[in-house]
Amino acid sequence: MLVDADELDAVEEKQDVDLLHSDQLESNPAEAVPEPEPILLADNFEAMRNHLFQDSGDLEVEHEAVSTWNIEEWRRLPRKEHGPIFQCGGHPWRVLFFPYGNNVDFASFYLEQAHEDKPPEDWYGCVQFALVLWNPNDPSIFCQHTANHRFTADEGDWGFTRFAELRKLFASRWEDHERPLVENNAANMTAYVRIVKDPTGVLWHNFLNYDSKKETGFVGLKNQGATCYLNSLLQSLYFTNAFRKAVYQIPTQNEESLGNSAYTLQRLFYLLQTSNDAVPTAELTRSFGWETKHIFEQQDVQELSRILMERLEEKMKGTEAENALPKLFVGKTKTYVSCINVDYESSRIEDFWDIQLNVSGNKNLDDSFKDYIQVETMDGENKYFAEGYGLQDARKGVIFESFPQVLHLQLKRFEYDVNRDAMMKVNDRYEFPEYFDATPYLSTDADRSESYRYQLHGVLVHSGDSNAGHYYAFLKPTKDGHFYKFDDDRVTRATMKEVLEENFGGEYSVPNGTTGMRNPYTRTLSTKRSMSAYMLVYIRQTRLDDVLLAVGQEDTPPHLQQKLDEERDLRRQQRQAREEEHLYLTVGVITDDIFRKYQGLDLAAWEADPEQNPAAPRHFRILRTTTIGQFTKTVAEDLGHDPTHIRLWVMVNRQNKTIRPDQALMDPEATMDEAYAKNGTKIGGFRVWVELADKIEDGKAVWPETQSSTNPATTNTPVLLFLKAFDVDAQTLKGVGHIYLRKHEKVSELAGPILQLMHWPVGTQLKLHEEIKPSMIEPMKPKQTLHQAEIQDGDVICFQKVLTEKESAAVIQGGGYADARDFYDYLCNRLTVRFSPKAPANREAETFELVLSKKMFYDQFAAKVGEHLKADPTHIRFYTINATTGNAKTTVKPNLNMTLQHILTPQYTYGGANQVPSALYFEVLDLSLSELETKRNLKVTWLSEGVTKEETVDVLVAKSGVIADAIPVLKNKLNLDDVPAEHLRVYEVHTGKVYKELHDKFGVAGINEFVSLYAERIPEEELESTEGDKAVYAFHFNKEPSKTHGVPFKFVVKPGEPFSKTKQRLEKRTGIKGKQFEKIKFAVVPRISYSKPIYLVDDDVLFDVATDGEDLLGLDHKEYTYDKKGVVRPPPGASSSLLSIDTSSSRASFLLPLLSIIMRTLVLAYGLLACYLSTLVGATALTYKLTPNEKACFFTWVDAKAAKVAFYFAVQSGGSFDVDYSVVGPNEKVIMDGSKERQGDFVFSAGEIGEYRFCFNNEMSTFADKLVDFEITVENEQRAQLPSKQGTSPEQTSALEESIFKLSGQLSTINRNQKYFRTRENRNFSTVRSTERRIFNFSVVEGLMMVTMAGLQVFIVRFFFQGARKGYV
């Protein structure tokens, strides 16, 4: 292999320049003028060598040599010349020279090994060399090039094809010198050769024909596409020998299934231990249930490791390997909260399998551990509620109780960037040691009897960024051995620098003037390292011998070797079969016996498996050179017949998509390959029918005449016909056999042979049909001849007894078919449908299959299902199945005109493609479907223990019924016979809050389908409440009242009761107990919009704080979080019932605004009445344009203390859509302020009467105008008391008020949504306009530059050409 000098030229580094100030020149006059550097001369070999090899990095030099070749008579040299041989490192070397260039106009120089014979196959030398061509008369004139190369027996030369341009070498001046480099046809070539030490065995290796097993003793894992992260994790686990041995101890001999993850992992480990080549991981990933798309998706390594451990731990239960994994990988942490001022501590001990450490903000492993166990002080508003001591200042933290034998440390190299709204990689430098002591991170009570000093065992590395990258691992397989790099299928030895320094991340230490290293994934130059460690594996030094114990052949399960040997032999046989496939031919054979066992179209079940279906053809694999006579003998022996008594008919594929015998194979000496080439078809292979002779004379078969090919229309030769009988009583259509009938005989003459074959009495009337193709079954005319009916060899004739009209009607009424053509139609349209119960319980046990016709109507297939279930078909309800989720999709309506095909494969229904085409769910009801249409199904959630335990039941009530009708049904389903009906309560819930209690007379038809129904037993304290007590509705939320979750409830409030006692009753009412209840903060939340919760303390009296009848009690679960999908996630140990979210909310959020628009007239009427009875609301809504550096203020007057002031603003366009704002009240009191905010929506209570100032500041902008849309609203509204109509009850009036309040809230929501979408649209338009303007400006500038350049080019051309002709005419 040759290298061009242009590609590998050494770049001289820029010298560092010290900047000297004037004061330095004055104080140090001797140092003011630096001494000039000495001129480098080519004959100063030591100085030249130091100059050439000044950046050798960490390479260790073994041998060095310098050799100079005096080149004379350059122009007279042959095309290729060799320099003198010199020794370096015990090997001969020389310079290879092409004086006139190696097919280029450059002088070419190479360094090559000079062995007389070819060196040994495994010989190599890692050489760093330089070639210097210089003028012997002036050594300051020289040309140099350097390179590194791994010289081998195959690559014995390396150098520079374009060393120096010949034209420049012989020019009169060389660069800035006055003399040429090649002077008087002579020059000197000096070779500087260094043989460097190869610590890893792969220094400068090209990895062609590299054998990992031979070089390192280990093999890698094949990458399936994007499974490098999986490979690095598996190699790490494999070289944790105790883990490997524990995996081998899992008993899998009785469960050798590739769906068993433990078994596939055993196979993988065994192959890694014994194979000479890289091992595939496809079996393991398939056992995970991964599909092709998962192979190309990078999964989370920590989650993958955890799932794998859980599966293996489950498999190890009850075996000798039980608890092996926890002993290896599990440590313990203590999470504690310790009070500062009182003697109280709450703590819990938890297991961990790995530790996640922060990289960002930490310099090394020690900093991360200190960050992990840092103590948080809980004071102020964040005080801790200590049982028996109340709210206390406390310290909260995590400390380690013990560390495992094998410590897995997950480094958080990927973090979510809020500004970019994406996961970004943290490439900061982060150091980790080869040895570290974990003792400082243990609690004071931890057992320190054994050292917690750890040794590095593995480093898992990610190279790249968050969008693209590669994973590999550095592992130390033995206690005192070397580290190796496991990069998918390649394994190489590694140095400690590669293991540690190169995986710390951070920046490269690059020489001055170097622009950086090239990132292989982004193709850009960067000073940041693209590779960094993301997972570290440490082993406790005192347990190294236990963890890295020897695992040999005796530790592997015996059945693994046996199974793999069998598979290896099978693969060898299959490979041999594939190699010899062209020599063999597979022949499908059918007989009359197969034809008689077959029910269906054509003669046999061609695609079926012979072992499962007796009507499937037999297959023979024979050599293509086998003669027809030999194959006939083989078939006869298999069937148990004399070979002379059978003959073979070749079968062909007809154009009508049938397969029928065409002609007999009469030449026994012809080969089967010749017969296949002449008569066979490419589709379906070679098929034959075996005819058994009916007539034997003198031991020889007598065959009917074969059809003449000269004039087939006139010859009266026999025609081969196959007969099928349709049995009306048994509803079967099976083959009977074959017969011969002459061409000119009439169709009616078929009756004799048929009656004889069926043993029917003479005179039995028959109906004959010809089976032309599956969709064409034609009746035959008795008076026609076979020739007139176009009957030929291989045709199928179907017959049946003629039925009377009464007999036919009886068969049809019984669900059967009275005519063969109808039965053929059934065969063409038959479908096996799987029916499963809708309820998941015992679904597999109760699933059954029925063979039905696609043309069956609803009542027909329902009758078949009812017959199987022994149930009334009118009481069975069917559901289609979603192909993706496996859940019930839609209810099948009992439409009598709808066929089964339309139900299973709807053509005009959206989403039909996502439906299972051959399965239905069913449900047996207690009432008929027609009766069900008069009922309404209510999904009611029963609360049995406070609000922590839920059970959902379906309650069927007449559509005209009331809640009182639903109560008995509910009691019956829940076995609540001992609970009086008046002690049960049903209420509606919407958006996590109680919307309405439903009294007994409330009509079921009035229940909105977009709300959730809850039922509970009325608590005893509510039944026993006194006149002074009052009730409030309570709900759960997370930090903000709008983020509701869980089940709301009704709670009794007692006058004068301190909240500390109220909380005790709340704990009993909700069923939330212990620490989970202690973390809840309670607040009174007004129902009005923009309400701010008023948090309660133990001394408050809830009765006095919740004065408004509409006030709600909020339970704030601040420890809950929201995931990326907006779903509430509880802290560990929280009750999942508290996460139940009103599933109707998402639908209601779309449909309730529509309902509010439909009822606009009603809303306006009652709204006017409410406005008449309430005080006016003052509001200001403006859009203002803020110029750069402008501050604008707006004022409003508040004339009532505690009035609600709402302030909303949103930047519509300009800059980054941000602005500074402030709200200042009377006496210059700053109520709120913020900087660089895009929008805000605030509500506060005015503490004083007076003028309030709302200011916007655009001082951050130099050029951009900001368009701000804002609204200021002052409310001092009282609840309007609507007059009651005569004859109406207070409950009806309350319901009316509730409806108005609900509609008002929905209108408010619509208004806020409109503001949001308007702001987003304006910002999008602003961004588009800004981008268009920039593109236009850039295009204008680009156009002007192009015009200017064109003009300049014309000017220059005209100047030179016209100037050259001046003075000439």
Side-chain angles (χ1 to χ4, degrees):
M1 181 174 181
L2 307 180
V3 177
D4 287 343
D6 293 347
E7 299 174 359
L8 288 177
D9 280 356
V11 180
E12 294 187 10
E13 298 179 5
K14 295 182 180 180
Q15 301 301 320
D16 294 337
V17 178
D18 294 331
L19 300 179
L20 301 179
H21 300 285
S22 58
D23 55 350
Q24 291 177 311
L25 291 175
E26 294 175 0
S27 60
N28 301 310
E31 300 179 3
V33 180
E35 295 182 1
E37 292 186 4
I39 298 176
L40 186 63
L41 300 178
D43 59 355
N44 188 346
F45 300 130
E46 184 174 356
M48 180 62 75
R49 179 179 57 197
N50 295 335
H51 168 73
L52 294 171
F53 299 137
Q54 59 183 333
D55 185 24
S56 299
D58 298 329
L59 298 176
E60 183 179 346
V61 179
E62 287 187 326
H63 304 281
E64 279 186 300
V66 179
S67 175
T68 300
W69 174 22
N70 299 319
I71 302 174
E72 298 178 349
E73 300 297 333
W74 184 305
R75 296 182 184 275
R76 295 183 180 181
L77 292 174
R79 179 181 176 275
K80 183 170 68 171
E81 187 65 51
H82 290 93
I85 296 177
F86 61 94
Q87 295 289 324
C88 184
H91 300 287
W93 305 89
R94 64 185 176 185
V95 175
L96 173 62
F97 175 34
F98 290 82
Y100 312 107
N102 189 6
N103 298 320
V104 292
D105 293 330
F106 289 74
S108 303
F109 288 93
Y110 307 90
L111 178 69
E112 70 173 359
Q113 55 86 10
H115 290 89
E116 293 182 3
D117 300 324
K118 189 176 181 180
E121 193 68 29
D122 58 349
W123 174 86
Y124 76 92
C126 296
V127 180
Q128 185 180 31
F129 67 95
L131 301 179
V132 181
L133 183 69
W134 51 286
N135 187 330
N137 300 319
D138 186 355
S140 66
I141 302 175
F142 60 85
C143 178
Q144 64 177 27
H145 291 296
T146 60
N148 302 325
H149 184 60
R150 185 185 185 92
F151 286 84
T152 63
D154 295 327
E155 288 188 352
D157 60 82
W158 196 262
F160 313 99
T161 302
R162 298 174 181 266
F163 187 89
E165 193 174 357
L166 291 171
R167 178 177 58 83
K168 293 183 179 180
L169 288 175
F170 291 95
S172 59
R173 294 168 55 93
W174 173 260
E175 296 180 350
D176 56 349
H177 297 273
E178 298 296 331
R179 307 175 68 168
L181 194 152
V182 180
E183 189 174 20
N184 298 326
N185 234 9
N188 286 349
M189 166 56 67
T190 301
Y192 297 84
V193 179
R194 277 184 172 180
I195 297 180
V196 299
K197 193 173 183 179
D198 182 11
T200 62
V202 292
L203 181 63
W204 304 327
H205 205 299
N206 58 15
F207 293 105
L208 295 175
N209 302 319
Y210 180 75
D211 189 338
S212 296
K213 185 77 170 183
K214 178 181 177 182
E215 300 297 335
T216 65
F218 308 110
V219 297
L221 294 169
K222 293 181 180 179
N223 192 332
Q224 299 184 54
T227 57
C228 48
Y229 68 97
L230 174 66
N231 292 348
S232 60
L233 176 64
L234 291 174
Q235 291 281 19
S236 171
L237 295 175
Y238 171 78
F239 285 109
T240 307
N241 295 355
F243 173 81
R244 191 196 332 168
K245 186 172 183 179
V247 171
Y248 283 153
Q249 290 174 343
I250 300 176
T252 56
Q253 59 270 21
N254 298 326
E255 196 177 354
E256 293 182 342
S257 168
L258 295 182
N260 181 1
S261 299
Y263 175 63
T264 54
L265 188 61
Q266 283 181 344
R267 290 169 59 95
L268 181 73
F269 282 179
Y270 185 83
L271 290 174
L272 282 174
Q273 188 171 319
T274 60
S275 177
N276 293 323
D277 302 311
V279 178
T281 58
E283 291 180 351
L284 182 65
T285 54
R286 280 197 294 267
S287 72
F288 293 162
W290 288 7
E291 300 175 358
T292 304
K293 63 178 182 180
H294 299 123
I295 299 301
F296 294 92
E297 296 175 355
Q298 290 189 354
Q299 314 293 331
D300 182 80
V301 177
Q302 182 186 19
E303 182 180 1
L304 177 64
S305 174
R306 189 71 55 82
I307 293 174
L308 181 61
M309 293 292 184
E310 289 176 357
R311 288 192 181 184
L312 294 177
E313 194 175 13
E314 183 68 27
K315 293 288 185 180
M316 290 178 180
K317 287 183 178 178
T319 70
E320 59 178 323
E322 187 172 6
N323 295 324
L325 299 188
K327 289 179 181 177
L328 280 174
F329 301 106
V330 173
K332 294 185 182 297
T333 60
K334 181 174 76 171
T335 304
Y336 65 89
V337 179
S338 178
C339 293
I340 298 174
N341 301 319
V342 296
D343 185 17
Y344 181 87
E345 180 179 287
S346 173
S347 63
R348 66 176 183 272
I349 305 296
E350 295 177 321
D351 292 342
F352 69 86
W353 289 78
D354 50 40
I355 304 173
Q356 294 191 53
L357 298 177
N358 289 324
V359 172
S360 182
N362 296 309
K363 294 182 179 180
N364 50 44
L365 198 63
D366 181 60
D367 288 351
S368 292
F369 269 105
K370 290 177 180 177
D371 175 62
Y372 194 91
I373 63 174
Q374 69 176 344
V375 178
E376 174 190 356
T377 301
M378 304 175 67
D379 55 9
E381 294 185 357
N382 194 33
K383 286 186 177 182
Y384 175 69
F385 181 81
E387 188 173 352
Y389 296 97
L391 294 175
Q392 294 288 332
D393 294 340
R395 295 187 181 92
K396 178 182 178 182
V398 178
I399 195 69
F400 292 96
E401 290 293 319
S402 66
F403 288 99
Q405 299 179 35
V406 181
L407 182 60
H408 283 182
L409 302 179
Q410 303 284 345
L411 307 183
K412 294 183 181 179
R413 282 289 183 183
F414 295 91
E415 291 186 351
Y416 178 73
D417 190 323
V418 178
N419 296 325
R420 293 183 174 91
D421 189 25
M423 295 297 291
M424 301 300 293
K425 185 177 180 182
V426 180
N427 275 321
D428 299 345
R429 181 176 178 86
Y430 181 87
E431 299 179 2
F432 49 90
E434 184 178 2
Y435 302 94
F436 92 97
D437 191 355
T439 306
Y441 319 119
L442 290 169
S443 69
T444 56
D445 300 331
D447 181 11
R448 289 178 168 82
S449 58
E450 185 179 345
S451 172
Y452 277 97
R453 185 170 172 79
Y454 281 82
Q455 175 178 312
L456 185 64
H457 173 69
V459 180
L460 278 63
V461 182
H462 176 264
S463 175
D465 56 20
S466 57
N467 299 316
H470 180 58
Y471 294 83
Y472 51 90
F474 291 93
L475 299 169
K476 189 176 182 180
T478 58
K479 175 181 176 180
D480 301 317
H482 302 284
F483 273 93
Y484 292 88
K485 180 181 179 181
F486 293 83
D487 189 354
D488 286 339
D489 55 354
R490 182 186 300 163
V491 184
T492 58
R493 185 175 160 185
T495 63
M496 289 308 298
K497 180 182 178 183
E498 292 178 293
V499 176
L500 298 174
E501 175 66 29
E502 294 187 2
N503 297 313
F504 287 163
E507 297 186 352
Y508 290 102
S509 55
V510 295
N512 291 334
T514 306
T515 56
M517 306 295 286
R518 186 172 297 278
N519 188 319
Y521 303 99
T522 61
R523 305 293 184 184
T524 58
L525 292 173
S526 173
T527 59
K528 284 278 189 181
R529 294 183 186 271
S530 63
M531 71 286 288
S532 54
Y534 72 93
M535 179 176 170
L536 305 175
V537 181
Y538 282 93
I539 299 179
R540 200 171 178 179
Q541 282 188 315
T542 57
R543 302 298 179 92
L544 277 171
D545 294 332
D546 297 332
V547 175
L548 299 181
L549 75 168
V551 180
Q553 186 73 22
E554 64 280 1
D555 297 309
T556 59
H559 68 279
L560 271 183
Q561 179 65 45
Q562 181 181 353
K563 184 69 174 179
L564 290 171
D565 288 344
E566 293 174 357
E567 292 177 359
R568 192 179 298 110
D569 293 339
L570 179 61
R571 284 194 299 270
R572 180 180 54 79
Q573 295 173 6
Q574 292 174 345
R575 183 173 62 254
Q576 183 178 356
R578 285 194 301 269
E579 293 172 354
E580 299 176 354
E581 184 67 28
H582 66 286
L583 302 176
Y584 288 87
L585 179 68
T586 300
V587 183
V589 177
I590 64 169
T591 62
D592 278 353
D593 289 338
I594 291 176
F595 176 56
R596 295 186 187 100
K597 296 173 182 177
Y598 177 60
Q599 172 171 283
L601 304 168
D602 226 332
L603 302 179
W606 296 109
E607 305 300 329
D609 185 358
E611 296 182 359
Q612 298 180 0
N613 192 338
R618 298 184 183 183
H619 292 94
F620 294 83
R621 189 170 182 265
I622 60 173
L623 286 170
R624 290 179 177 269
T625 55
T626 304
T627 63
I628 295 176
Q630 291 172 337
F631 181 63
T632 302
K633 184 177 180 182
T634 300
V635 173
E637 291 177 356
D638 183 74
L639 298 176
H641 296 298
D642 190 327
T644 61
H645 294 174
I646 65 173
R647 68 174 175 177
L648 307 180
W649 285 68
V650 63
M651 305 193 74
V652 297
N653 296 336
R654 293 185 179 179
Q655 293 182 353
N656 59 9
K657 298 182 179 180
T658 60
I659 304 172
R660 305 291 170 81
D662 183 64
Q663 58 180 319
L665 299 175
M666 304 302 296
D667 184 5
E669 300 301 324
T671 65
M672 292 296 292
D673 189 42
E674 293 172 347
Y676 178 54
K678 181 180 180 180
N679 305 304
T681 57
K682 299 298 181 184
I683 302 175
F686 196 21
R687 302 184 180 102
V688 297
W689 171 64
V690 179
E691 180 185 9
L692 182 63
D694 295 329
K695 186 176 180 181
I696 307 295
E697 293 182 356
D698 298 330
K700 294 183 179 182
V702 179
W703 304 107
E705 304 174 33
T706 58
Q707 186 169 335
S708 172
S709 59
T710 56
N711 190 5
T714 57
T715 56
N716 193 22
T717 56
V719 178
L720 172 65
L721 301 177
F722 289 89
L723 300 177
K724 284 185 181 180
F726 173 52
D727 189 338
V728 178
D729 297 330
Q731 291 290 295
T732 59
L733 177 68
K734 292 187 176 181
V736 175
H738 73 279
I739 63 171
Y740 283 93
L741 204 65
R742 295 190 176 273
K743 292 187 64 174
H744 294 301
E745 291 185 88
K746 293 184 178 181
V747 173
S748 58
E749 297 182 31
L750 284 167
I754 291 174
L755 295 178
Q756 185 177 358
L757 284 172
M758 301 301 295
H759 304 290
W760 288 345
V762 177
T764 302
Q765 293 186 351
L766 301 176
K767 187 186 293 187
L768 303 177
H769 298 87
E770 181 188 358
E771 182 185 316
I772 301 175
K773 60 181 181 179
S775 59
M776 185 180 292
I777 312 298
E778 298 291 338
M780 302 185 70
K781 298 178 180 179
K783 295 183 179 180
Q784 281 187 333
T785 64
L786 298 183
H787 177 67
Q788 292 172 337
E790 299 181 356
I791 301 298
Q792 62 184 19
D793 284 332
D795 283 351
V796 177
I797 308 299
C798 172
F799 63 88
Q800 72 172 99
K801 290 181 180 180
V802 176
L803 302 179
T804 63
E805 292 184 2
K806 185 177 181 180
E807 290 173 336
S808 298
V811 172
I812 295 173
Q813 187 175 1
Y817 300 94
D819 188 83
R821 286 175 295 180
D822 296 334
F823 192 76
Y824 267 105
D825 182 73
Y826 158 72
L827 293 179
C828 290
N829 293 282
R830 63 180 172 179
L831 175 69
T832 301
V833 184
R834 186 180 71 255
F835 292 91
S836 304
K838 181 174 178 283
N842 299 325
R843 178 172 289 175
E844 294 184 3
E846 299 180 16
T847 297
F848 61 92
E849 293 182 348
L850 294 178
V851 179
L852 306 172
S853 173
K854 297 178 184 177
K855 294 185 176 181
M856 277 186 172
F857 291 106
Y858 178 89
D859 55 341
Q860 293 176 320
F861 81 79
K864 293 284 187 182
V865 175
E867 180 181 351
H868 179 87
L869 295 174
K870 298 179 181 179
D872 189 343
T874 62
H875 286 58
I876 303 175
R877 181 162 57 182
F878 299 98
Y879 303 85
T880 58
I881 303 175
N882 189 306
T884 304
T885 63
N887 299 327
K889 187 176 180 183
T890 57
T891 304
V892 178
K893 295 184 178 180
N895 188 341
L896 300 181
N897 296 322
M898 183 177 292
T899 64
L900 182 61
Q901 182 176 9
H902 292 152
I903 293 172
L904 293 174
T905 56
Q907 298 179 359
Y908 306 107
T909 303
Y910 175 77
N914 196 33
Q915 178 178 315
V916 178
S918 59
L920 292 171
Y921 285 148
F922 69 88
E923 183 180 19
V924 180
L925 306 176
D926 296 331
L927 64 167
S928 66
L929 296 178
S930 58
E931 186 180 355
L932 183 65
E933 291 294 323
T934 64
K935 303 283 186 179
R936 178 169 181 183
N937 183 35
L938 302 178
K939 285 191 175 296
V940 182
T941 301
W942 170 252
L943 305 174
S944 57
E945 298 178 7
V947 295
T948 59
K949 189 174 181 180
E950 304 176 24
E951 180 182 356
T952 302
V953 295
D954 291 329
V955 178
L956 286 174
V957 187
K959 292 181 178 180
S960 59
V962 294
I963 292 297
D965 300 329
I967 296 297
V969 181
L970 183 66
K971 290 177 57 179
N972 183 41
K973 287 205 169 189
L974 297 171
N975 297 322
L976 301 175
D977 298 334
D978 58 333
V979 182
E982 59 271 14
H983 287 182
L984 295 179
R985 172 167 52 217
V986 180
Y987 58 95
E988 292 181 346
V989 172
H990 176 58
T991 62
K993 298 178 182 178
V994 176
Y995 173 57
K996 184 194 303 181
E997 287 190 45
L998 305 180
H999 53 79
D1000 292 346
K1001 301 301 181 182
F1002 189 88
V1004 172
I1007 298 176
N1008 194 320
E1009 62 176 311
F1010 304 112
V1011 299
S1012 300
L1013 289 181
Y1014 285 84
E1016 66 172 352
R1017 185 182 308 184
I1018 300 175
E1020 294 182 4
E1021 66 173 6
E1022 186 175 339
L1023 295 173
E1024 299 171 357
S1025 60
T1026 61
E1027 288 188 9
D1029 297 343
K1030 67 178 180 180
V1032 296
Y1033 291 119
F1035 71 102
H1036 305 270
F1037 68 94
N1038 174 242
K1039 298 179 183 177
E1040 298 178 15
S1042 59
K1043 297 179 180 180
T1044 59
H1045 63 87
V1047 181
F1049 57 94
K1050 190 175 183 180
F1051 181 66
V1052 175
V1053 180
K1054 298 183 178 295
E1057 181 183 59
F1059 194 67
S1060 57
K1061 292 187 177 180
T1062 306
K1063 285 199 300 186
Q1064 296 176 5
R1065 293 193 297 112
L1066 276 168
E1067 183 175 5
K1068 180 180 179 182
R1069 176 70 176 90
T1070 59
I1072 307 172
K1073 299 177 181 179
K1075 296 178 182 178
Q1076 187 180 346
F1077 184 82
E1078 294 172 5
K1079 296 176 182 178
I1080 300 175
K1081 293 186 180 296
F1082 300 88
V1084 174
V1085 183
R1087 189 184 279 269
I1088 62 173
S1089 302
Y1090 308 109
S1091 57
K1092 183 177 181 180
I1094 303 170
Y1095 285 93
L1096 302 170
V1097 297
D1098 288 352
D1099 296 335
D1100 289 334
V1101 177
L1102 179 58
F1103 191 92
D1104 299 335
V1105 179
T1107 56
D1108 193 335
E1110 298 300 325
D1111 287 344
L1112 304 174
L1113 175 61
L1115 282 69
D1116 185 1
H1117 301 257
K1118 287 196 172 184
E1119 300 246 346
Y1120 283 41
T1121 58
Y1122 282 80
D1123 64 8
K1124 293 181 179 178
K1125 298 181 180 179
V1127 179
V1128 182
R1129 297 297 184 196
S1135 172
S1136 59
S1137 297
L1138 295 179
L1139 297 182
S1140 61
I1141 298 177
D1142 187 356
T1143 56
S1144 66
S1145 301
S1146 59
R1147 298 174 64 188
S1149 64
F1150 291 93
L1151 296 179
L1152 283 177
L1154 179 62
L1155 294 174
S1156 66
I1157 293 173
I1158 296 172
M1159 300 177 67
R1160 182 176 296 172
T1161 305
L1162 182 61
V1163 173
L1164 289 176
Y1166 287 117
L1168 289 174
L1169 181 59
C1171 290
Y1172 174 76
L1173 296 173
S1174 65
T1175 60
L1176 295 176
V1177 177
T1180 302
L1182 290 173
T1183 300
Y1184 186 80
K1185 184 176 183 180
L1186 275 173
T1187 59
N1189 298 310
E1190 179 186 1
K1191 180 177 181 180
C1193 295
F1194 303 87
F1195 303 87
T1196 187
W1197 182 266
V1198 177
D1199 55 5
K1201 195 173 183 179
K1204 298 294 183 183
V1205 180
F1207 173 44
Y1208 163 82
F1209 75 90
V1211 182
Q1212 307 293 317
S1213 65
S1216 300
F1217 310 113
D1218 55 357
V1219 71
D1220 298 342
Y1221 73 93
S1222 63
V1223 179
V1224 182
N1227 302 322
E1228 296 300 316
K1229 180 181 179 182
V1230 178
I1231 298 173
M1232 63 180 69
D1233 59 3
S1235 61
K1236 294 185 179 181
E1237 296 289 342
R1238 292 187 166 197
Q1239 64 188 49
D1241 193 358
F1242 312 100
V1243 177
F1244 63 91
S1245 299
E1248 300 178 26
I1249 299 174
E1251 187 177 64
Y1252 286 77
R1253 183 168 75 248
F1254 302 82
C1255 298
F1256 300 102
N1257 193 338
N1258 194 23
E1259 292 179 354
M1260 68 182 72
S1261 298
T1262 307
F1263 303 103
D1265 294 335
K1266 304 288 180 66
L1267 198 66
V1268 183
D1269 185 7
F1270 67 94
E1271 181 177 346
I1272 303 169
T1273 307
V1274 181
E1275 298 182 5
N1276 189 16
E1277 184 181 0
Q1278 296 178 354
R1279 184 69 182 272
Q1281 299 296 325
L1282 299 181
S1284 302
K1285 293 183 181 180
Q1286 186 175 1
T1288 59
S1289 64
E1291 289 81 2
Q1292 291 171 316
T1293 302
S1294 176
L1296 181 59
E1297 289 179 292
E1298 191 66 31
S1299 298
I1300 294 174
F1301 174 75
K1302 178 184 175 184
L1303 293 173
S1304 175
Q1306 291 298 328
L1307 288 173
S1308 176
T1309 302
I1310 292 174
N1311 185 33
R1312 296 179 68 180
N1313 288 339
Q1314 286 176 337
K1315 289 179 181 178
Y1316 166 74
F1317 287 112
R1318 181 173 66 249
T1319 300
R1320 189 171 70 173
E1321 185 178 22
N1322 289 339
R1323 289 177 179 173
N1324 290 340
F1325 280 138
S1326 176
T1327 303
V1328 171
R1329 284 196 297 268
S1330 175
T1331 305
E1332 288 177 344
R1333 189 161 54 248
R1334 292 178 184 177
I1335 293 174
F1336 175 76
N1337 293 338
F1338 176 77
S1339 301
V1340 170
V1341 174
E1342 186 181 28
L1344 292 175
M1345 292 179 63
M1346 292 174 64
V1347 171
T1348 304
M1349 290 297 296
L1352 184 60
Q1353 289 176 352
V1354 172
F1355 171 76
I1356 294 173
V1357 172
R1358 289 173 62 87
F1359 174 78
F1360 280 105
F1361 280 88
Q1362 289 181 357
R1365 291 194 294 269
K1366 282 186 179 180
Y1368 295 90
V1369 178

